Amino acid sequence: MVDLAPGVTILQGRNGLGKTNIVEAVEVLSTGTSHRVTGSLPLIERGQTSATIRANVTNITNPLAQESTAKSTTESVHTRNTQVSTASPSAISSAAQSQSVVENGSISPVINPLGESSELTQPAEPTIAEPTTTAATITTTTYELTIAARGANRARINGGKSTYLRDVIGRIPSVSFTPDDQRLIAGDPAGRRTLLNQAGALLVPGYSDRLQMIAKIARQRAALLKQLGDPRNSATSESPYGYAPSPADAALQGLEIWTGQFIEAGVTLTRDRQRLVDLLAEPFAAIYRELAGRDERVRLTYEPSFDEVLLYPDDPQPHISEHFQRIYPGEVARGQNLIGPHRDDLSIELNGMPAREFASNGEMWTMALALKMALHTVIVRERGVRPIVILDDVFAQLDESRRRQILDFAARQDQVLITVAAASDIPDVTDLAGATGGAAGGADVAADGQTGATAAQLHIIDVADLVRQQNEYLHPDLAAFGIEVNS
């Protein structure tokens, strides 16, 4: 059980205790995915059938701040009682109902916290108003996610009827910085697609629905391609009514239908992703120049598999259909969808050259930081929300200059969750909160003279102590209560 207060919380403990599980629960609640894994199964503790995340989110709207802002609404959100049950093998506890509880942590505002429409809010128009003493509006919403080993993941809002996971994700925005971020530049395209999908879940209404739909269509289409490639399905059979069509004939008819749906859904998703890249490209370049120097130039571009969407923006579908006809023999031979959004990528250039080939290790780290900071900037601009910032074990990977850069960024946020494995990796408390010393075991550190939410308090929590408290709760000493246990 862990309490998170507004500001900065540092979770410190050796590897394997479950630090990442706590912040991962927030990330999954926010985006529906984890930076650590590509599927849902690793999120569930070995031997269990599901994992559950529960969060009571308090939304605080400040009318005074709203009156003075031109581009955003000003709110703050506090998570209260985020519970993670039956988490992954590295969870805090190996018990069947292991829990971590997040209470009173400032998450900075969610859109539609009471479960209404998930449409993006429009930026507030500039207003000039007389000072008022109107009190802030406070609402609390309970979110519950159930991640299943088999079957659909489910969600509930305020204890209501069971709904889909996609109906909840995106309401509590977050941006995670992780040791794997460098792979966004030099790694395979899957990591960059995950970044796009997380951005889409937070910024584009209906994106998660469309992503899930096209994944389903792609599976159906791939199954038909495998049937067509199986020589056993090509023979016709005799019946009392003549020769019956072969299984391949039926598969071919189905393939035509599924291909049409795949193209339609893929065009929509491609346009969504192009919009996301357009939003990210300018702040990414600006932030990188600020971090690396005014003479440095980076460029972010979208490389869609359905490039016909960019070449023929008015009506790309006939051209994509022709493309599928040309590659049909190869798709049947391999039993795979050879083109589609599942093969999209991002291109990142440094001073006109491919960054993955020419950038140094330090330059890749700086580009990765700039890319995540750009996502944060876009969320603030488009939604009027400052997301939760998650720094998962990144300080051991960074040199002093980049530690300073990310700490400066974190110090301006409403809520920051930091995990570190060793006490030596804990950033200087004065860097974040202006205090004169550190604290351990869950103690608070005052932050005088600082601006922003992090000026309130900084908390350093010993995760080993959390494990001990949880084990005592789950497996109490009955003798202490006067209960005799027969061996």
Side-chain angles (χ1 to χ4, degrees):
M1 185 173 293
V2 58
D3 298 333
L4 301 183
V8 178
T9 297
I10 297 177
L11 300 164
Q12 187 265 320
R14 60 178 173 81
N15 293 332
L17 285 178
K19 306 181 302 295
T20 294
N21 288 90
I22 297 173
V23 296
E24 189 174 47
V26 177
E27 185 180 21
V28 173
L29 178 65
S30 172
T31 67
T33 60
S34 165
H35 68 271
R36 186 178 59 87
V37 297
T38 57
S40 297
L41 193 59
L43 301 176
I44 303 170
E45 186 177 4
R46 187 177 303 145
Q48 303 299 323
T49 59
S50 65
T52 300
I53 302 170
R54 299 183 186 91
N56 293 335
V57 180
T58 300
N59 184 21
I60 303 174
T61 304
N62 187 340
L64 291 177
Q66 283 183 315
E67 290 172 356
S68 63
T69 53
K71 282 290 289 181
S72 65
T73 59
T74 302
E75 303 173 344
S76 64
V77 176
H78 302 271
T79 45
R80 307 175 63 88
N81 304 327
T82 298
Q83 301 179 0
V84 184
S85 302
T86 55
S88 64
S90 61
I92 292 177
S93 168
S94 61
Q97 290 295 323
S98 65
Q99 295 181 338
S100 61
V101 179
V102 181
E103 183 172 2
N104 207 28
S106 172
I107 286 193
S108 210
V110 296
I111 300 300
N112 307 317
L114 296 180
E116 297 88 358
S117 167
S118 60
E119 293 294 318
L120 292 176
T121 56
Q122 297 296 319
E125 293 296 327
T127 59
I128 300 176
E130 294 298 324
T132 177
T133 57
T134 305
T137 302
I138 301 175
T139 56
T140 299
T141 306
T142 300
Y143 297 97
E144 178 179 316
L145 306 185
T146 299
I147 302 168
R150 292 188 177 183
N153 299 328
R154 306 296 294 178
R156 294 180 188 274
I157 301 175
N158 290 330
K161 66 179 182 179
S162 178
T163 184
Y164 293 108
L165 175 64
R166 62 178 181 266
D167 295 326
V168 171
I169 61 175
R171 294 169 181 261
I172 304 174
S174 72
V175 176
S176 297
F177 296 76
T178 78
D180 294 332
D181 282 351
Q182 189 182 22
R183 297 180 185 176
L184 291 172
I185 312 302
D188 60 50
R192 292 183 285 276
R193 285 195 297 270
T194 296
L195 175 67
L196 278 177
N197 291 338
Q198 289 187 330
L202 296 170
L203 291 167
V204 181
Y207 183 93
S208 297
D209 289 354
R210 291 189 284 276
L211 184 64
Q212 186 178 46
M213 177 60 69
I214 198 166
K216 177 182 176 182
I217 295 171
R219 288 193 297 270
Q220 295 286 348
R221 190 172 183 277
L224 291 172
L225 289 169
K226 290 177 181 177
Q227 290 182 32
L228 289 167
D230 188 341
R232 295 173 297 179
N233 293 329
S234 60
T236 58
S237 59
E238 189 174 358
S239 72
Y241 305 100
Y243 285 94
S246 69
D249 292 333
L252 190 59
Q253 293 177 0
L255 181 67
E256 183 177 356
I257 296 172
W258 285 109
T259 298
Q261 295 184 18
F262 190 54
I263 292 173
E264 182 178 359
V267 167
T268 303
L269 192 66
T270 298
R271 286 171 172 161
D272 285 344
R273 288 177 172 175
Q274 180 63 63
R275 177 192 170 197
L276 290 168
V277 175
D278 289 343
L279 290 172
L280 290 169
E282 183 178 347
F284 169 60
I287 291 170
Y288 185 81
R289 285 196 302 271
E290 182 179 346
L291 296 178
R294 294 293 177 181
D295 295 333
E296 299 294 326
R297 294 178 294 106
V298 291
R299 183 168 179 256
L300 178 70
T301 56
Y302 179 39
E303 295 183 345
S305 178
F306 284 174
D307 59 357
E308 293 87 353
V309 176
L310 306 183
L311 296 173
Y312 310 97
D314 293 335
D315 189 15
Q317 295 192 29
H319 302 279
I320 299 174
S321 180
E322 292 176 3
H323 193 169
F324 271 117
Q325 292 174 22
R326 292 194 301 269
I327 64 173
Y328 171 76
E331 287 195 308
V332 171
R334 298 187 186 185
Q336 296 177 355
N337 300 301
L338 296 185
I339 58 174
H342 60 293
R343 294 181 177 270
D344 286 354
D345 199 0
L346 293 174
S347 171
I348 301 174
E349 295 181 356
L350 174 63
N351 296 323
M353 305 297 288
R356 72 184 71 176
E357 298 176 12
F358 290 92
S360 68
N361 184 66
E363 288 169 334
M364 288 184 184
W365 267 116
T366 302
M367 280 184 277
L369 293 178
L371 194 53
K372 290 295 186 72
M373 290 179 185
L375 175 57
H376 182 280
T377 298
V378 172
I379 293 171
V380 173
R381 185 181 67 200
E382 295 294 311
R383 294 184 54 171
V385 174
R386 271 201 293 268
I388 312 164
V389 172
I390 297 172
L391 307 177
D392 186 21
D393 209 14
V394 296
F395 291 104
Q397 309 290 327
L398 301 176
D399 60 25
E400 185 58 34
S401 173
R402 290 170 182 83
R403 284 168 64 109
R404 178 70 263 174
Q405 289 171 342
I406 201 168
L407 284 172
D408 287 344
F409 171 76
R412 299 191 297 269
Q413 309 312 317
D414 288 340
Q415 180 172 24
V416 184
L417 306 179
I418 301 175
T419 68
V420 296
S424 60
D425 293 330
I426 296 177
D428 187 353
V429 173
T430 59
D431 287 339
L432 283 172
T436 58
D444 299 337
V445 179
D448 298 327
Q450 297 293 308
T451 60
T454 54
Q457 284 182 327
L458 184 143
H459 309 265
I460 302 176
I461 298 173
D462 186 344
V463 178
D465 191 51
L466 292 179
V467 174
R468 179 187 57 77
Q469 294 178 28
Q470 181 177 261
N471 287 337
E472 289 178 355
Y473 175 80
L474 294 174
H475 310 287
D477 181 5
L478 298 181
F481 298 94
I483 301 174
E484 295 184 2
V485 180
N486 296 326
S487 57

